[in-house]
Amino acid sequence: MRYVLYQRDYCHLCDQALAVMAEARAPDFDSVWVDDDEALEVRYGTRVPVLRDQQDGRELDWPFDATAVRQFLAGTTPPL
């Protein structure tokens, strides 16, 4: 999959991110739980949820809304 959503177990923000992804009508994406991998825990532990484009390496950190997700998927930078 091109897109990956990095998450944690029992993460209410991750649940919210999933709802935002659905609202944005995001294409299929993989979910990766950082709790299962020490290197991912170090990289994403305090940042999750994070949406990553595996093709170009861009990342969208929480908080994000449906507009930011659509812009990210289109390859444009969301506003701050």
Side-chain angles (χ1 to χ4, degrees):
M1 295 262 156
R2 177 174 178 173
Y3 298 103
V4 174
L5 183 65
Y6 290 97
Q7 307 178 58
R8 296 180 77 83
D9 290 328
Y10 310 109
C11 169
H12 74 282
L13 297 177
C14 300
D15 294 339
Q16 291 176 16
L18 290 170
V20 169
M21 298 284 289
E23 180 185 346
R25 298 183 189 254
D28 288 341
F29 57 92
D30 283 332
S31 290
V32 174
W33 282 262
V34 302
D35 305 294
D36 299 334
D37 183 302
E38 188 174 328
L40 292 177
E41 173 71 33
V42 169
R43 182 172 180 174
Y44 294 108
T46 59
R47 294 174 49 203
V48 294
V50 175
L51 179 60
R52 179 177 172 82
D53 183 334
Q54 296 288 76
Q55 186 173 358
D56 63 16
R58 291 178 307 119
E59 294 182 338
L60 180 63
D61 287 18
W62 186 261
F64 48 77
D65 60 13
T67 299
V69 170
R70 285 190 290 271
Q71 289 175 333
F72 180 81
L73 297 173
T76 58
T77 304
L80 297 176

